[in-house]
C-alpha cells in the first residue's frame, strides 16, 4: 500500500516537473523557431526510438549522438579566431616538432589572436607578485618573504586577503565576486570616468567572454530578438548570438573613413530589422575596435548613446581595449562616462561595460579575469542576471584579484611604482611602434590597403586580389581571403584570420593580423610577409 | 555610384546573415517550443516597437528590459543552492556586522554549499606552493626561493612550466587546456582505473559547472530533448536543462534503501518520456550522490552502463566527489572503469566524466579548476564540443595546473609526501567523523530520519513535520521545508537548503546540510540545531 502511494506520488511529481514545459508549448507562434530536423509525430518518434535502440545494440549501430541529433544552434555557431586555419597551424606545428626541416619555416607565428604572452610579452611583475602571495598566504607570515617580494606587493596581498571572508582564496566567493574587490574596481572606474560607480553593479567573470554570453542569454529568447552588431565584428558576438538562437542585425563600419560608426547606418539597419518583425534588444559597440582598431570620437559616442536611449536599446559596450590607444589625438572614453556627461542616469539607459585582464598592457589572457559593470537595469532584471551568475557559482578568485589590480595599479609613491611604469610604458610604446611598422609595411604593398590601428591589438588590411586568385579560391570552394591566409601560413608559418570570419562588405576581402610579435622579430616577419605577398600577386597577375 | 553599390552590397550581406535563420523557420513542428509570450504578427510588432520607442523617451517610460521581455528560459531556471534562503542569510550577516547584538546568534553558518575553505578548511600546502611559483615564475631563478618552498614543489613548478608553450602561464592555452597537463591528468585517470586514458579526451574547464553546461548545450536542441536526472538532484542539472530549453526526465532514488538507483525506475521513466514524444538523449548519474551522499555499488553501476548502452543514451557521470568516501565497505569506481571492465570500448557508449578541484580533500572551490573526460563520441561531434570550448578560448591556467596536481599528487619518496598525506588524511578522516556525528544527531531527533552519508559532503535528512506546521507554511505560500529552513536560519544562523530545491517525492520534506563546519564547532552547532528543532516540533505539535 505504501509502495503504491509512493508510486502514484512519483508520477505526480514527474508530471509537475514537466508542467511548465507543457504549458509553454500550448500556444503556437508564426515566429517560433522550428528545429532543423522537424520532429516526427509522437507515435513515429517512439518507433524511431525503438529502432535506434535496436540499432545501437548492433555491432556497427548508429551512434547515440551525431551531427543530426545535436543542438542545431551549436552547428550554426562559428568562431574563426580558433577556426580551421588555426587547426591547420597546430598540425603544421606538430609536423615541425617531429621533423624540423619539413617546412619552409622553423616556427609558427600566431598572429591570429590577441594573446600577447604567447608571443613573448612578459607579465607585469607587481601583479604577479601579489597573485603569488595570495595563492600561498602562509608566505605572508615569514620573514624570508621580504627577500623575494616587493614590500608594497606584500602590503597589497594583506589588503586583498582582508577583503576576502576568512581570507579564504580557495572558497567560492559571492556570485558577483568578492565585495571588497568589486568596490575597488568601482573606485577605479570612478577615478577613470569622474562619475560615481558602485561595487554592487560589478559582476566579476572569467574573462569578458562569459559576461557577453550571460547578457546574450538574458536578452535573447528567440530568433525574433535581434542584436545590432558591427561588421566587421569580433566573432564572439556572432557565435554567442547563434548559440542563444537570436538574430544578428549587422551594421557596417565605414572602411573609407577609418572604420567610423555612422548613426545613419544604425538607424537604417534597425528599421530594416523591425520591418521584418525582429525586436532589436541591444546594440554592441566595440571601442577601441576589434578587428578594426579604430577609436571612436567623443561626438560619435554621444550620438550612439542618444540613439540607444531613443530607440530603447541596451548598450553593450565592449571596452576591453581601453588601455590600448596608440595615437596622440584620441583617447578612451567609456560609454558610461559619455552617458553621464549627457546627463543620463540609471533611469534613462541600460548599459553594460565589459572589461578583461586579457588585454591592455597586462595581457593576462590565461588568468581569465574580467568584469561587467551593469547600470540602468531594474532590480527584478538584475536579480535574473545574478541568478545566471550564481548557477556557475563564481569566477576564479585569482582572476578576480587581478581584475582589481589592473583597475587599481601601483600609485606614485609606492615602492613598485617606478618599475611598474617602466614595464607598462615599455609595453604600450612598443605596441604603438609595432602597429605603425606593420601598417606601413602593409600599405607599401601592391594590392593591400590598411587603415591605421588607433587602438586595440589588430590591423584589418584590405586585400585587393587579382581576379584569377579569386577564381582559383572559389573553384576550390574557399573564400578568397581564406585561401590567401592558408597560402600565407603554408609559405611562412604566419597565422592570420581571414576577413570572412569577422564579416565584411561582400566582394571585399580582408584579414586580421595582431600587432603582437616581439619587436626584434618584426623585420623578419615583415620581410617574410612581403616576399610571400609579392610572389602570390605575381602568380595570379591578371 | 560607388556608394550606391556599397549600399546594395550591404543589404545583400544583411540578408545572407539572416538566411540560415530564415530557412530554419520554414518548417513548422507540432513539438517546437513556443515563446512564453507569443509574438504578435509582424505589423503589430512594428507598431509595438514604435510605441515602446515613444514610451522610452518619456520621463517615466517603460524600461527597455523587463521580466516580460527577457529570455523566458532564464526566468524558468532555478538554483536553490544560492537561492532565497542564502540571500536572506547574507542580509542577516550584514545586520550582524552593523549591530552584533541584534540577532540571537553571533555568526552565520553556511551549511548550504560544499565550500570547505569558507568554513575554515585549510588548503593543501604542496598544491598552493606549486600554484604560487607558477604565478610568479621569476622566483624559480632565485636562490632565496628554497628558503620558502619545498624542493619538490619547485621541481614540480619547473616541470609544469616546461609543459606550457613559452612557459607563459599568462597566455590563452589550447581550448581543451594545456596538452602536457591533460596528458598528466590522463595518466592519473589510467592509474586510478587500470584502463587507458588519453589527454586528447580531456577538456579542462573552470570547475565542473561549465562542462555540464557545455554538454547540455550540445545535447539539447528543444523541449523534445530529454535528460534523465536523479531526484533528488544537484540543481545545476535542472538549472542547465531549463536554460537550454530541454526536458528534465526525473528518476527517483529510493530513500528506503539508502538512496539506491534502481534500473527498473530508469526504464519506467524512460518509457513514459518516450510515450510523450520526448527523445531522451542522456542519463545523469551523480556518484557519490549529491545531495544524497550514497555511493553506488559496483553491480548497480554495471546495470546503469548496460542500460545506457542498450537505450542509446549518453552517460553523464558526475564524479566530482570521487575522493570523498567515508565507509569501509564501499569504494569509488568510475563509470568508465565499469564500462571498460564490461568490455565496452569507445565504439559502444558515449560517456562523459566530470571532475572538479572544488571537492575531494582539496576543496579548492575558488580556483575554478576541473575537467571532463569524453569518450565514445564521433570525431565530428568532438569537433563541435571543441568549437564550444573555443568560443570561451580556454579555462583559467591556475585551475588547469591545480587539476593536474589533484590527479597526480606527491608520491612516496617525494619530500612533501609525508606532510601531504598528513594533511590529506586529516581532512578526509575529519569529514568522515563529522558526517557520522551529524547523522547521529539528526537521527536522535523526533521527526527526523537520516540516511548515512557514505560519501560526498552532504546529508539529506527527511523531515516528518506536524500537520500544523505544514498548514502554516502552506498558508504563507511557502513549501514546508523552506519554512523550516527559514525558521532555523532566523533562530540559529545555520543555513541549509530546503529539499524542494533538489526535488523529492511529493508530500515528503527534506533539507540538505553540508558536513563541513570544523570539528571544534560541531558540538555547539548540533546543540543549537537540537534546541531549535525541539522547540519547532513543540510549537506545532499535532
Amino acid at each position: 500500500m505504501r509502495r503504491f502511494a509512493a508510486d502514484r506520488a512519483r508520477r505526480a511529481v514527474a508530471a509537475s516537473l514537466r508542467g511548465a514545459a507543457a504549458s509553454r508549448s500550448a500556444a503556437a507562434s508564426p515566429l517560433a523557431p522550428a528545429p532543423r530536423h522537424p520532429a516526427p509525430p509522437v507515435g513515429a518518434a517512439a518507433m524511431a526510438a525503438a529502432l535506434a535502440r535496436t540499432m545501437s545494440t548492433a555491432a556497427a549501430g548508429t551512434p547515440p549522438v551525431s551531427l543530426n541529433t545535436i543542438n542545431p544552434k551549436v552547428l550554426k555557431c562559428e568562431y574563426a579566431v580558433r577556426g580551421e586555419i588555426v587547426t591547420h597551424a597546430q598540425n603544421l606545428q606538430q609536423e615541425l616538432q617531429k621533423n624540423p626541416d619539413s617546412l619552409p619555416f622553423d616556427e609558427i607565428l600566431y598572429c591570429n589572436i590577441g594573446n600577447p604572452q604567447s608571443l613573448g610579452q612578459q607579465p607585469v611583475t607587481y601583479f604577479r607578485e601579489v597573485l603569488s602571495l595570495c595563492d600561498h598566504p602562509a608566505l605572508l607570515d615569514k620573514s624570508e618573504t621580504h627577500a623575494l617580494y616587493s614590500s608594497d606587493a606584500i602590503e597589497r596581498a594583506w589588503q586583498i586577503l582582508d577583503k576576502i571572508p576568512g581570507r579564504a582564496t580557495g572558497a567560492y566567493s559571492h556570485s558577483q565576486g568578492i565585495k571588497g574587490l568589486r568596490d575597488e574596481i568601482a573606485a577605479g572606474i570612478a577615478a577613470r570616468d569622474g562619475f560615481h560607480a558602485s561595487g554592487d553593479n560589478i559582476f566579476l567573470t572569467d574573462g569578458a567572454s562569459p559576461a557577453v554570453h550571460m547578457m546574450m542569454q538574458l536578452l535573447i529568447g528567440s530568433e525574433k530578438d535581434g542584436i545590432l552588431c558591427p561588421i566587421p565584428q569580433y566573432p564572439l558576438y556572432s557565435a554567442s548570438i547563434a548559440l542563444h538562437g537570436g538574430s544578428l542585425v549587422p551594421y557596417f563600419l565605414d572602411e573609407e573613413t577609418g572604420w567610423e560608426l555612422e548613426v545613419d547606418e544604425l538607424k537604417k539597419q534597425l528599421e530594416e530589422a523591425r520591418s521584418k518583425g525582429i525586436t532589436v534588444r541591444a546594440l554592441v559597440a566595440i571601442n577601441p575596435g576589434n578587428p578594426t582598431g579604430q577609436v571612436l570620437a567623443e561626438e560619435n559616442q554621444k550620438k550612439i548613446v542618444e540613439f540607444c536611449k531613443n530607440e530603447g536599446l541596451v548598450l553593450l559596450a565592449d571596452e576591453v581595449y581601453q588601455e590600448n590607444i596608440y595615437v596622440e589625438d584620441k583617447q578612451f572614453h567609456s560609454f558610461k562616462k559619455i552617458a553621464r556627461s549627457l546627463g543620463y542616469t540609471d533611469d534613462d539607459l541600460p548599459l553594460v561595460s565589459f572589461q578583461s585582464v586579457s588585454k591592455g598592457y597586462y595581457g593576462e589572457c590565461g588568468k581569465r579575469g574580467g568584469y561587467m559593470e551593469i547600470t540602468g537595469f531594474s532590480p527584478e532584471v538584475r536579480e535574473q542576471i545574478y541568478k545566471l551568475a550564481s548557477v556557475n557559482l563564481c569566477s576564479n578568485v585569482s582572476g578576480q584579484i587581478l581584475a582589481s589590480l589592473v583597475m587599481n595599479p601601483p600609485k606614485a609613491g609606492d615602492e613598485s611604482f617606478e618599475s611598474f611604469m617602466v614595464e607598462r610604458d615599455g609595453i604600450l610604446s612598443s605596441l604603438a611602434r609595432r602597429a605603425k611598422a606593420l601598417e606601413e609595411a602593409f600599405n607599401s604593398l601592391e594590392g593591400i590597403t590598411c587603415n591605421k590601428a588607433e587602438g586595440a591589438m589588430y590591423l584589418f588590411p584590405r586585400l585587393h586580389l587579382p581576379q584569377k586568385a579569386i577564381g582559383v579560391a572559389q573553384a576550390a570552394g574557399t573564400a578568397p581571403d581564406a585561401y590567401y591566409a592558408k597560402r600565407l601560413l603554408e609559405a611562412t608559418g604566419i597565422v592570420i584570420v581571414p576577413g570572412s570570419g569577422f564579416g565584411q562588405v561582400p566582394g571585399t576581402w580582408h584579414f586580421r593580423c595582431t600587432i603582437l610579435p616581439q619587436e626584434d622579430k618584426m623585420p623578419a616577419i615583415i620581410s617574410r610577409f612581403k616576399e610571400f605577398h609579392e610572389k602570390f600577386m605575381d602568380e595570379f597577375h591578371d
Side-chain angles (χ1 to χ4, degrees), chain A:
Chain A
M1 175 62 197
R2 196 169 158 203
R3 275 273 176 199
F4 176 75
D7 224 29
R8 203 169 46 183
R10 285 164 191 207
R11 277 198 303 275
V13 80
S16 80
L17 274 157
R18 283 190 297 266
S23 69
R24 286 181 52 210
S25 299
S29 155
L31 289 175
R36 194 185 170 99
H37 308 281
V42 173
M47 277 176 62
L51 184 64
R53 216 148 65 234
T54 316
M55 288 177 71
S56 72
T57 50
T62 316
V65 192
S66 74
L67 296 189
N68 291 327
T69 64
I70 65 168
N71 180 0
K73 296 193 196 93
V74 172
L75 281 178
K76 200 182 156 193
C77 155
E78 279 177 27
Y79 186 65
V81 172
R82 292 228 159 163
E84 213 171 303
I85 194 91
V86 183
T87 306
H88 189 33
Q90 286 167 341
N91 293 339
L92 292 181
Q93 190 162 30
Q94 285 180 5
E95 229 172 286
L96 269 183
Q97 275 160 0
K98 276 183 229 153
N99 186 356
D101 299 325
S102 59
L103 297 170
F105 45 85
D106 51 18
E107 64 169 336
I108 302 286
L109 264 162
Y110 288 98
C111 300
N112 58 303
I113 188 166
N115 192 9
Q117 296 190 29
S118 76
L119 295 178
Q121 183 176 308
Q122 291 306 301
V124 173
T125 307
Y126 175 84
F127 293 163
R128 291 304 192 96
E129 285 185 310
V130 177
L131 287 184
S132 171
L133 290 164
C134 290
D135 261 348
H136 191 29
L139 294 178
L140 291 167
D141 296 322
K142 298 187 180 172
S143 59
E144 293 92 334
T145 302
H146 290 269
L148 281 174
Y149 294 87
S150 63
S151 61
D152 55 342
I154 293 173
E155 175 61 27
R156 185 67 172 269
W158 275 120
Q159 286 169 12
I160 288 171
L161 289 177
D162 283 341
K163 292 179 202 290
I164 302 178
R167 292 183 178 165
T169 55
Y172 292 128
S173 72
H174 186 284
S175 292
Q176 285 185 236
I178 292 155
K179 179 67 164 71
L181 300 179
R182 287 188 274 131
D183 290 342
E184 204 161 329
I185 288 168
I189 294 171
R192 180 194 71 194
D193 291 348
F195 290 96
H196 173 73
S198 162
D200 294 338
N201 294 336
I202 305 294
F203 283 71
L204 284 155
T205 49
D206 292 311
S209 305
V212 170
H213 287 305
M214 218 187 290
M215 290 312 301
M216 294 300 175
Q217 189 152 42
L218 181 85
L219 295 171
I220 297 172
S222 77
E223 265 174 8
K224 67 187 181 63
D225 294 318
I227 310 288
L228 270 162
C229 275
I231 297 296
Q233 53 101 31
Y234 174 48
L236 167 65
Y237 294 97
S238 50
S240 187
I241 293 167
L243 282 176
H244 293 104
S247 291
L248 188 151
V249 179
Y251 65 87
F252 288 81
L253 303 174
D254 189 355
E255 185 164 14
E256 285 170 53
T257 57
W259 302 114
E260 259 183 30
L261 195 172
E262 291 167 22
V263 172
D264 284 351
E265 165 72 4
L266 291 179
K267 280 196 179 122
K268 201 182 75 182
Q269 299 293 354
L270 177 71
E271 291 309 328
E272 193 174 321
R274 281 179 176 159
S275 74
K276 291 181 173 145
I278 290 172
T279 305
V280 178
R281 301 283 179 199
L283 167 88
V284 173
I286 310 176
N287 181 44
N290 176 5
T292 44
Q294 89 284 14
V295 177
L296 295 179
E298 200 176 341
E299 280 311 306
N300 195 212
Q301 287 186 271
K302 284 182 184 168
K303 286 184 192 159
I304 295 164
V305 168
E306 297 282 8
F307 173 77
C308 289
K309 155 92 184 106
N310 292 334
E311 303 293 349
L313 303 179
V314 179
L315 177 47
L316 300 173
D318 180 334
E319 299 181 327
V320 302
Y321 297 100
Q322 57 189 264
E323 310 249 22
N324 299 94
I325 310 271
Y326 309 123
V327 287
E328 292 289 320
D329 58 334
K330 293 266 184 88
Q331 52 178 332
F332 171 75
H333 303 286
S334 78
F335 272 103
K336 186 169 149 234
K337 174 182 169 183
I338 299 290
R340 294 295 175 268
S341 69
L342 287 169
Y344 293 137
T345 69
D346 248 5
D347 295 333
D348 299 304
L349 184 77
L351 200 158
V352 184
S353 166
F354 301 105
Q355 165 68 321
S356 168
V357 305
S358 304
K359 309 302 171 187
Y361 55 90
Y362 22 86
E364 291 278 17
C365 303
K367 297 296 172 189
R368 312 309 288 122
Y371 70 80
M372 58 178 180
E373 184 194 15
I374 64 163
T375 52
F377 290 85
S378 68
E380 306 82 55
V381 173
R382 287 176 54 111
E383 215 172 275
Q384 298 297 317
I385 301 173
Y386 175 78
K387 188 173 66 181
L388 281 177
S390 78
V391 175
N392 276 329
L393 296 164
C394 67
S395 63
N396 83 88
V397 170
S398 294
Q400 294 188 26
I401 291 170
L402 191 48
S404 79
L405 292 172
V406 307
M407 296 307 286
N408 183 17
K411 299 280 182 293
D414 294 349
E415 181 188 310
S416 296
F417 181 68
E418 278 185 38
S419 61
F420 165 76
M421 288 302 281
V422 168
E423 290 179 25
R424 173 188 180 278
D425 294 345
I427 291 167
L428 287 174
S429 58
S430 169
L431 284 172
R433 285 192 299 274
R434 287 180 258 170
K436 187 93 194 127
L438 266 180
E439 177 213 320
E440 285 173 0
F442 288 140
N443 277 321
S444 76
L445 294 172
E446 188 210 334
I448 293 190
T449 53
C450 183
N451 277 328
K452 192 153 56 170
E454 300 174 327
M457 295 182 171
Y458 316 100
L459 290 161
F460 197 65
R462 178 165 174 186
L463 285 168
H464 306 265
L465 295 173
Q467 207 49 50
K468 211 166 125 190
I470 293 171
V472 167
Q474 288 172 338
T478 317
D481 48 12
Y483 178 72
Y484 179 90
K486 185 163 179 276
R487 290 282 303 269
L488 175 71
L489 169 62
E490 288 169 351
T492 66
I494 301 171
V495 192
I496 56 172
V497 187
S500 36
F502 303 88
Q504 52 199 347
V505 170
T508 70
W509 310 107
H510 299 77
F511 61 88
R512 188 183 82 164
C513 180
T514 72
I515 58 171
L516 297 175
Q518 291 297 292
E519 270 187 290
D520 57 353
K521 290 199 169 179
M522 229 15 136
I525 291 170
I526 288 174
S527 81
R528 269 153 77 183
F529 188 92
K530 277 188 171 176
E531 193 191 343
F532 160 78
H533 181 78
E534 281 158 6
K535 273 194 195 158
F536 184 92
M537 294 299 277
D538 281 351
E539 182 181 338
F540 294 104
H541 209 279
D542 287 325

